[in-house]
PDB file of all heavy atoms in Angstrom:
ATOM      1  N   ALA N 229      -3.087  -7.915  30.811  1.00 98.00           N
ATOM      2  CA  ALA N 229      -1.736  -7.401  30.532  1.00 98.00           C
ATOM      3  C   ALA N 229      -1.797  -6.352  29.424  1.00 98.00           C
ATOM      4  O   ALA N 229      -1.182  -5.272  29.520  1.00 98.00           O
ATOM      5  CB  ALA N 229      -0.793  -8.544  30.176  1.00 98.00           C
ATOM      6  N   ASP N 230      -2.500  -6.652  28.347  1.00 98.00           N
ATOM      7  CA  ASP N 230      -2.635  -5.682  27.239  1.00 98.00           C
ATOM      8  C   ASP N 230      -3.339  -4.420  27.726  1.00 98.00           C
ATOM      9  O   ASP N 230      -2.948  -3.292  27.367  1.00 98.00           O
ATOM     10  CB  ASP N 230      -3.425  -6.325  26.102  1.00 98.00           C
ATOM     11  CG  ASP N 230      -2.753  -7.530  25.553  1.00 98.00           C
ATOM     12  OD1 ASP N 230      -1.787  -7.407  24.782  1.00 98.00           O
ATOM     13  OD2 ASP N 230      -3.188  -8.645  25.893  1.00 98.00           O
ATOM     14  N   MET N 231      -4.389  -4.590  28.510  1.00 98.00           N
ATOM     15  CA  MET N 231      -5.130  -3.420  29.023  1.00 98.00           C
ATOM     16  C   MET N 231      -4.246  -2.552  29.902  1.00 98.00           C
ATOM     17  O   MET N 231      -4.414  -1.314  29.886  1.00 98.00           O
ATOM     18  CB  MET N 231      -6.341  -3.908  29.815  1.00 98.00           C
ATOM     19  CG  MET N 231      -7.322  -4.712  29.015  1.00 98.00           C
ATOM     20  SD  MET N 231      -8.688  -5.261  30.097  1.00 98.00           S
ATOM     21  CE  MET N 231      -9.274  -6.673  29.138  1.00 98.00           C
ATOM     22  N   ALA N 232      -3.371  -3.156  30.681  1.00 98.00           N
ATOM     23  CA  ALA N 232      -2.508  -2.367  31.568  1.00 98.00           C
ATOM     24  C   ALA N 232      -1.455  -1.609  30.809  1.00 98.00           C
ATOM     25  O   ALA N 232      -1.087  -0.487  31.131  1.00 98.00           O
ATOM     26  CB  ALA N 232      -1.860  -3.315  32.572  1.00 98.00           C
ATOM     27  N   ILE N 233      -0.923  -2.230  29.741  1.00 98.00           N
ATOM     28  CA  ILE N 233       0.194  -1.641  28.998  1.00 98.00           C
ATOM     29  C   ILE N 233      -0.269  -0.558  28.029  1.00 98.00           C
ATOM     30  O   ILE N 233       0.419   0.517  27.932  1.00 98.00           O
ATOM     31  CB  ILE N 233       0.953  -2.757  28.253  1.00 98.00           C
ATOM     32  CG1 ILE N 233       1.644  -3.690  29.265  1.00 98.00           C
ATOM     33  CG2 ILE N 233       1.973  -2.160  27.287  1.00 98.00           C
ATOM     34  CD1 ILE N 233       2.147  -4.981  28.631  1.00 98.00           C
ATOM     35  N   TYR N 234      -1.374  -0.776  27.370  1.00 98.00           N
ATOM     36  CA  TYR N 234      -1.760   0.140  26.268  1.00 98.00           C
ATOM     37  C   TYR N 234      -1.823   1.617  26.661  1.00 98.00           C
ATOM     38  O   TYR N 234      -1.254   2.456  25.939  1.00 98.00           O
ATOM     39  CB  TYR N 234      -3.125  -0.321  25.687  1.00 98.00           C
ATOM     40  CG  TYR N 234      -3.635   0.623  24.622  1.00 98.00           C
ATOM     41  CD1 TYR N 234      -3.187   0.538  23.319  1.00 98.00           C
ATOM     42  CD2 TYR N 234      -4.560   1.607  24.938  1.00 98.00           C
ATOM     43  CE1 TYR N 234      -3.627   1.419  22.336  1.00 98.00           C
ATOM     44  CE2 TYR N 234      -5.008   2.498  23.973  1.00 98.00           C
ATOM     45  CZ  TYR N 234      -4.526   2.404  22.679  1.00 98.00           C
ATOM     46  OH  TYR N 234      -4.976   3.278  21.729  1.00 98.00           O
ATOM     47  N   PRO N 235      -2.481   2.013  27.757  1.00 98.00           N
ATOM     48  CA  PRO N 235      -2.607   3.432  28.020  1.00 98.00           C
ATOM     49  C   PRO N 235      -1.250   4.132  28.229  1.00 98.00           C
ATOM     50  O   PRO N 235      -1.146   5.368  28.012  1.00 98.00           O
ATOM     51  CB  PRO N 235      -3.443   3.501  29.308  1.00 98.00           C
ATOM     52  CG  PRO N 235      -4.209   2.223  29.296  1.00 98.00           C
ATOM     53  CD  PRO N 235      -3.278   1.207  28.720  1.00 98.00           C
ATOM     54  N   TRP N 236      -0.251   3.382  28.643  1.00 98.00           N
ATOM     55  CA  TRP N 236       1.082   4.010  28.798  1.00 98.00           C
ATOM     56  C   TRP N 236       1.748   4.222  27.462  1.00 98.00           C
ATOM     57  O   TRP N 236       2.496   5.206  27.288  1.00 98.00           O
ATOM     58  CB  TRP N 236       1.943   3.140  29.737  1.00 98.00           C
ATOM     59  CG  TRP N 236       1.493   3.283  31.157  1.00 98.00           C
ATOM     60  CD1 TRP N 236       0.682   2.442  31.865  1.00 98.00           C
ATOM     61  CD2 TRP N 236       1.758   4.375  32.030  1.00 98.00           C
ATOM     62  NE1 TRP N 236       0.454   2.916  33.111  1.00 98.00           N
ATOM     63  CE2 TRP N 236       1.108   4.110  33.248  1.00 98.00           C
ATOM     64  CE3 TRP N 236       2.479   5.559  31.885  1.00 98.00           C
ATOM     65  CZ2 TRP N 236       1.171   5.005  34.324  1.00 98.00           C
ATOM     66  CZ3 TRP N 236       2.543   6.451  32.977  1.00 98.00           C
ATOM     67  CH2 TRP N 236       1.877   6.144  34.170  1.00 98.00           C
ATOM     68  N   ILE N 237       1.500   3.401  26.493  1.00 98.00           N
ATOM     69  CA  ILE N 237       2.087   3.571  25.171  1.00 98.00           C
ATOM     70  C   ILE N 237       1.431   4.727  24.433  1.00 98.00           C
ATOM     71  O   ILE N 237       2.046   5.355  23.571  1.00 98.00           O
ATOM     72  CB  ILE N 237       2.012   2.271  24.349  1.00 98.00           C
ATOM     73  CG1 ILE N 237       2.702   1.111  25.113  1.00 98.00           C
ATOM     74  CG2 ILE N 237       2.665   2.445  22.996  1.00 98.00           C
ATOM     75  CD1 ILE N 237       4.165   1.323  25.372  1.00 98.00           C
ATOM     76  N   VAL N 238       0.187   5.021  24.769  1.00 98.00           N
ATOM     77  CA  VAL N 238      -0.531   6.125  24.108  1.00 98.00           C
ATOM     78  C   VAL N 238       0.273   7.426  24.176  1.00 98.00           C
ATOM     79  O   VAL N 238       0.272   8.236  23.244  1.00 98.00           O
ATOM     80  CB  VAL N 238      -1.924   6.334  24.774  1.00 98.00           C
ATOM     81  CG1 VAL N 238      -2.580   7.632  24.318  1.00 98.00           C
ATOM     82  CG2 VAL N 238      -2.830   5.154  24.411  1.00 98.00           C
ATOM     83  N   GLN N 239       1.053   7.590  25.226  1.00 96.00           N
ATOM     84  CA  GLN N 239       1.786   8.829  25.421  1.00 96.00           C
ATOM     85  C   GLN N 239       3.222   8.716  24.866  1.00 96.00           C
ATOM     86  O   GLN N 239       4.165   9.399  25.341  1.00 96.00           O
ATOM     87  CB  GLN N 239       1.832   9.220  26.895  1.00 96.00           C
ATOM     88  CG  GLN N 239       0.438   9.524  27.462  1.00 96.00           C
ATOM     89  CD  GLN N 239       0.488  10.043  28.874  1.00 96.00           C
ATOM     90  OE1 GLN N 239       1.519  10.098  29.518  1.00 96.00           O
ATOM     91  NE2 GLN N 239      -0.663  10.474  29.371  1.00 96.00           N
ATOM     92  N   TYR N 240       3.432   7.917  23.865  1.00 98.00           N
ATOM     93  CA  TYR N 240       4.790   7.666  23.334  1.00 98.00           C
ATOM     94  C   TYR N 240       5.513   8.940  22.934  1.00 98.00           C
ATOM     95  O   TYR N 240       6.718   9.055  23.053  1.00 98.00           O
ATOM     96  CB  TYR N 240       4.748   6.667  22.170  1.00 98.00           C
ATOM     97  CG  TYR N 240       4.002   7.121  20.963  1.00 98.00           C
ATOM     98  CD1 TYR N 240       4.641   7.863  19.967  1.00 98.00           C
ATOM     99  CD2 TYR N 240       2.652   6.850  20.788  1.00 98.00           C
ATOM    100  CE1 TYR N 240       3.962   8.317  18.840  1.00 98.00           C
ATOM    101  CE2 TYR N 240       1.960   7.280  19.661  1.00 98.00           C
ATOM    102  CZ  TYR N 240       2.622   8.003  18.688  1.00 98.00           C
ATOM    103  OH  TYR N 240       1.945   8.449  17.605  1.00 98.00           O
ATOM    104  N   ASP N 241       4.763   9.927  22.420  1.00 97.00           N
ATOM    105  CA  ASP N 241       5.433  11.170  22.009  1.00 97.00           C
ATOM    106  C   ASP N 241       6.023  11.886  23.194  1.00 97.00           C
ATOM    107  O   ASP N 241       7.098  12.463  23.101  1.00 97.00           O
ATOM    108  CB  ASP N 241       4.471  12.035  21.196  1.00 97.00           C
ATOM    109  CG  ASP N 241       3.176  12.365  21.969  1.00 97.00           C
ATOM    110  OD1 ASP N 241       2.822  11.601  22.904  1.00 97.00           O
ATOM    111  OD2 ASP N 241       2.532  13.384  21.627  1.00 97.00           O
ATOM    112  N   ARG N 242       5.322  11.860  24.323  1.00 96.00           N
ATOM    113  CA  ARG N 242       5.865  12.490  25.550  1.00 96.00           C
ATOM    114  C   ARG N 242       7.040  11.711  26.075  1.00 96.00           C
ATOM    115  O   ARG N 242       7.825  12.265  26.850  1.00 96.00           O
ATOM    116  CB  ARG N 242       4.772  12.615  26.608  1.00 96.00           C
ATOM    117  CG  ARG N 242       3.647  13.558  26.202  1.00 96.00           C
ATOM    118  CD  ARG N 242       2.656  13.757  27.317  1.00 96.00           C
ATOM    119  NE  ARG N 242       1.550  14.658  26.894  1.00 96.00           N
ATOM    120  CZ  ARG N 242       0.547  15.023  27.669  1.00 96.00           C
ATOM    121  NH1 ARG N 242       0.477  14.558  28.915  1.00 96.00           N
ATOM    122  NH2 ARG N 242      -0.372  15.814  27.226  1.00 96.00           N
ATOM    123  N   HIS N 243       7.152  10.446  25.693  1.00 98.00           N
ATOM    124  CA  HIS N 243       8.292   9.653  26.125  1.00 98.00           C
ATOM    125  C   HIS N 243       9.507   9.830  25.228  1.00 98.00           C
ATOM    126  O   HIS N 243      10.535   9.199  25.441  1.00 98.00           O
ATOM    127  CB  HIS N 243       7.908   8.170  26.146  1.00 98.00           C
ATOM    128  CG  HIS N 243       6.719   7.853  26.966  1.00 98.00           C
ATOM    129  ND1 HIS N 243       5.964   6.720  26.742  1.00 98.00           N
ATOM    130  CD2 HIS N 243       6.128   8.507  27.985  1.00 98.00           C
ATOM    131  CE1 HIS N 243       4.944   6.706  27.588  1.00 98.00           C
ATOM    132  NE2 HIS N 243       5.022   7.779  28.350  1.00 98.00           N
ATOM    133  N   GLY N 244       9.352  10.654  24.183  1.00 97.00           N
ATOM    134  CA  GLY N 244      10.450  10.864  23.242  1.00 97.00           C
ATOM    135  C   GLY N 244      10.693   9.663  22.343  1.00 97.00           C
ATOM    136  O   GLY N 244      11.830   9.457  21.889  1.00 97.00           O
ATOM    137  N   GLN N 245       9.656   8.916  22.033  1.00 98.00           N
ATOM    138  CA  GLN N 245       9.797   7.704  21.242  1.00 98.00           C
ATOM    139  C   GLN N 245       9.052   7.823  19.910  1.00 98.00           C
ATOM    140  O   GLN N 245       8.051   8.530  19.810  1.00 98.00           O
ATOM    141  CB  GLN N 245       9.259   6.504  22.013  1.00 98.00           C
ATOM    142  CG  GLN N 245       9.886   6.306  23.390  1.00 98.00           C
ATOM    143  CD  GLN N 245      11.389   6.156  23.366  1.00 98.00           C
ATOM    144  OE1 GLN N 245      11.923   5.459  22.524  1.00 98.00           O
ATOM    145  NE2 GLN N 245      12.064   6.831  24.292  1.00 98.00           N
ATOM    146  N   ASN N 246       9.528   7.057  18.920  1.00 98.00           N
ATOM    147  CA  ASN N 246       8.917   6.974  17.629  1.00 98.00           C
ATOM    148  C   ASN N 246       8.458   5.531  17.421  1.00 98.00           C
ATOM    149  O   ASN N 246       9.287   4.601  17.397  1.00 98.00           O
ATOM    150  CB  ASN N 246       9.904   7.373  16.526  1.00 98.00           C
ATOM    151  CG  ASN N 246       9.320   7.350  15.130  1.00 98.00           C
ATOM    152  OD1 ASN N 246       8.200   6.836  14.920  1.00 98.00           O
ATOM    153  ND2 ASN N 246      10.043   7.877  14.174  1.00 98.00           N
ATOM    154  N   LEU N 247       7.144   5.306  17.348  1.00 97.00           N
ATOM    155  CA  LEU N 247       6.661   3.954  17.230  1.00 97.00           C
ATOM    156  C   LEU N 247       7.128   3.230  15.978  1.00 97.00           C
ATOM    157  O   LEU N 247       7.187   1.991  15.947  1.00 97.00           O
ATOM    158  CB  LEU N 247       5.118   3.927  17.319  1.00 97.00           C
ATOM    159  CG  LEU N 247       4.487   4.111  18.680  1.00 97.00           C
ATOM    160  CD1 LEU N 247       3.005   3.794  18.589  1.00 97.00           C
ATOM    161  CD2 LEU N 247       5.148   3.248  19.743  1.00 97.00           C
ATOM    162  N   SER N 248       7.500   3.976  14.950  1.00 97.00           N
ATOM    163  CA  SER N 248       7.998   3.325  13.731  1.00 97.00           C
ATOM    164  C   SER N 248       9.295   2.566  13.996  1.00 97.00           C
ATOM    165  O   SER N 248       9.692   1.697  13.217  1.00 97.00           O
ATOM    166  CB  SER N 248       8.199   4.383  12.636  1.00 97.00           C
ATOM    167  OG  SER N 248       6.961   4.932  12.240  1.00 97.00           O
ATOM    168  N   ASP N 249       9.994   2.940  15.075  1.00 98.00           N
ATOM    169  CA  ASP N 249      11.216   2.221  15.455  1.00 98.00           C
ATOM    170  C   ASP N 249      10.897   0.836  16.055  1.00 98.00           C
ATOM    171  O   ASP N 249      11.813   0.052  16.255  1.00 98.00           O
ATOM    172  CB  ASP N 249      12.028   3.037  16.461  1.00 98.00           C
ATOM    173  CG  ASP N 249      12.554   4.337  15.901  1.00 98.00           C
ATOM    174  OD1 ASP N 249      12.700   4.423  14.661  1.00 98.00           O
ATOM    175  OD2 ASP N 249      12.799   5.263  16.693  1.00 98.00           O
ATOM    176  N   PHE N 250       9.625   0.588  16.342  1.00 98.00           N
ATOM    177  CA  PHE N 250       9.214  -0.613  17.021  1.00 98.00           C
ATOM    178  C   PHE N 250       8.028  -1.221  16.262  1.00 98.00           C
ATOM    179  O   PHE N 250       6.874  -1.083  16.676  1.00 98.00           O
ATOM    180  CB  PHE N 250       8.849  -0.339  18.478  1.00 98.00           C
ATOM    181  CG  PHE N 250       9.919   0.404  19.236  1.00 98.00           C
ATOM    182  CD1 PHE N 250       9.877   1.773  19.413  1.00 98.00           C
ATOM    183  CD2 PHE N 250      10.945  -0.291  19.811  1.00 98.00           C
ATOM    184  CE1 PHE N 250      10.851   2.446  20.089  1.00 98.00           C
ATOM    185  CE2 PHE N 250      11.975   0.365  20.517  1.00 98.00           C
ATOM    186  CZ  PHE N 250      11.911   1.733  20.662  1.00 98.00           C
ATOM    187  N   PRO N 251       8.270  -1.868  15.144  1.00 98.00           N
ATOM    188  CA  PRO N 251       7.177  -2.243  14.250  1.00 98.00           C
ATOM    189  C   PRO N 251       6.189  -3.232  14.862  1.00 98.00           C
ATOM    190  O   PRO N 251       4.983  -3.140  14.574  1.00 98.00           O
ATOM    191  CB  PRO N 251       7.891  -2.866  13.039  1.00 98.00           C
ATOM    192  CG  PRO N 251       9.270  -3.183  13.514  1.00 98.00           C
ATOM    193  CD  PRO N 251       9.606  -2.159  14.540  1.00 98.00           C
ATOM    194  N   GLN N 252       6.639  -4.166  15.682  1.00 98.00           N
ATOM    195  CA  GLN N 252       5.705  -5.124  16.289  1.00 98.00           C
ATOM    196  C   GLN N 252       4.850  -4.411  17.356  1.00 98.00           C
ATOM    197  O   GLN N 252       3.645  -4.654  17.452  1.00 98.00           O
ATOM    198  CB  GLN N 252       6.480  -6.275  16.942  1.00 98.00           C
ATOM    199  CG  GLN N 252       7.377  -7.009  15.965  1.00 98.00           C
ATOM    200  CD  GLN N 252       6.638  -7.550  14.746  1.00 98.00           C
ATOM    201  OE1 GLN N 252       5.486  -7.934  14.839  1.00 98.00           O
ATOM    202  NE2 GLN N 252       7.300  -7.517  13.608  1.00 98.00           N
ATOM    203  N   LEU N 253       5.485  -3.538  18.091  1.00 98.00           N
ATOM    204  CA  LEU N 253       4.731  -2.748  19.098  1.00 98.00           C
ATOM    205  C   LEU N 253       3.723  -1.849  18.404  1.00 98.00           C
ATOM    206  O   LEU N 253       2.571  -1.721  18.831  1.00 98.00           O
ATOM    207  CB  LEU N 253       5.726  -1.912  19.905  1.00 98.00           C
ATOM    208  CG  LEU N 253       5.144  -0.875  20.855  1.00 98.00           C
ATOM    209  CD1 LEU N 253       4.146  -1.468  21.829  1.00 98.00           C
ATOM    210  CD2 LEU N 253       6.247  -0.161  21.617  1.00 98.00           C
ATOM    211  N   LYS N 254       4.110  -1.233  17.314  1.00 98.00           N
ATOM    212  CA  LYS N 254       3.190  -0.346  16.583  1.00 98.00           C
ATOM    213  C   LYS N 254       2.004  -1.125  16.069  1.00 98.00           C
ATOM    214  O   LYS N 254       0.837  -0.654  16.161  1.00 98.00           O
ATOM    215  CB  LYS N 254       3.930   0.344  15.436  1.00 98.00           C
ATOM    216  CG  LYS N 254       3.081   1.306  14.649  1.00 98.00           C
ATOM    217  CD  LYS N 254       3.862   2.002  13.531  1.00 98.00           C
ATOM    218  CE  LYS N 254       2.972   2.984  12.778  1.00 98.00           C
ATOM    219  NZ  LYS N 254       3.718   3.653  11.686  1.00 98.00           N
ATOM    220  N   ARG N 255       2.258  -2.300  15.512  1.00 98.00           N
ATOM    221  CA  ARG N 255       1.131  -3.141  14.988  1.00 98.00           C
ATOM    222  C   ARG N 255       0.165  -3.470  16.121  1.00 98.00           C
ATOM    223  O   ARG N 255      -1.047  -3.363  15.995  1.00 98.00           O
ATOM    224  CB  ARG N 255       1.708  -4.389  14.380  1.00 98.00           C
ATOM    225  CG  ARG N 255       0.722  -5.379  13.772  1.00 98.00           C
ATOM    226  CD  ARG N 255       0.354  -6.482  14.741  1.00 98.00           C
ATOM    227  NE  ARG N 255       1.547  -7.122  15.246  1.00 98.00           N
ATOM    228  CZ  ARG N 255       1.538  -7.852  16.377  1.00 98.00           C
ATOM    229  NH1 ARG N 255       0.437  -7.969  17.101  1.00 98.00           N
ATOM    230  NH2 ARG N 255       2.654  -8.414  16.794  1.00 98.00           N
ATOM    231  N   TRP N 256       0.684  -3.904  17.273  1.00 98.00           N
ATOM    232  CA  TRP N 256      -0.153  -4.238  18.448  1.00 98.00           C
ATOM    233  C   TRP N 256      -0.903  -2.979  18.910  1.00 98.00           C
ATOM    234  O   TRP N 256      -2.095  -3.054  19.204  1.00 98.00           O
ATOM    235  CB  TRP N 256       0.736  -4.793  19.540  1.00 98.00           C
ATOM    236  CG  TRP N 256       0.115  -4.902  20.882  1.00 98.00           C
ATOM    237  CD1 TRP N 256      -0.594  -5.944  21.380  1.00 98.00           C
ATOM    238  CD2 TRP N 256       0.132  -3.923  21.958  1.00 98.00           C
ATOM    239  NE1 TRP N 256      -1.007  -5.708  22.679  1.00 98.00           N
ATOM    240  CE2 TRP N 256      -0.575  -4.434  23.033  1.00 98.00           C
ATOM    241  CE3 TRP N 256       0.692  -2.657  22.045  1.00 98.00           C
ATOM    242  CZ2 TRP N 256      -0.744  -3.753  24.231  1.00 98.00           C
ATOM    243  CZ3 TRP N 256       0.535  -1.947  23.238  1.00 98.00           C
ATOM    244  CH2 TRP N 256      -0.179  -2.509  24.302  1.00 98.00           C
ATOM    245  N   PHE N 257      -0.199  -1.884  19.035  1.00 98.00           N
ATOM    246  CA  PHE N 257      -0.780  -0.640  19.512  1.00 98.00           C
ATOM    247  C   PHE N 257      -1.974  -0.209  18.671  1.00 98.00           C
ATOM    248  O   PHE N 257      -3.035   0.148  19.182  1.00 98.00           O
ATOM    249  CB  PHE N 257       0.285   0.448  19.525  1.00 98.00           C
ATOM    250  CG  PHE N 257      -0.184   1.803  19.959  1.00 98.00           C
ATOM    251  CD1 PHE N 257      -0.446   2.085  21.266  1.00 98.00           C
ATOM    252  CD2 PHE N 257      -0.387   2.816  19.007  1.00 98.00           C
ATOM    253  CE1 PHE N 257      -0.878   3.374  21.669  1.00 98.00           C
ATOM    254  CE2 PHE N 257      -0.801   4.066  19.379  1.00 98.00           C
ATOM    255  CZ  PHE N 257      -1.065   4.346  20.708  1.00 98.00           C
TER     256      PHE N 257
END
């Protein structure tokens, strides 16, 4: 599950997202 999700979060800037808005996600990422 982690392996599947991680590569999609790598492109967070293209998604218009700021990882600092999601502290638990950022820590995991």
Side-chain angles (χ1 to χ4, degrees):
D230 300 282
M231 299 178 202
I233 293 167
Y234 175 83
W236 286 100
I237 304 298
V238 168
Q239 297 187 352
Y240 64 88
D241 55 338
R242 294 185 182 180
H243 305 157
Q245 306 302 317
N246 183 348
L247 283 191
S248 295
D249 295 336
F250 307 96
Q252 304 304 325
L253 172 55
K254 183 178 180 181
R255 181 263 308 160
W256 167 88
F257 177 76

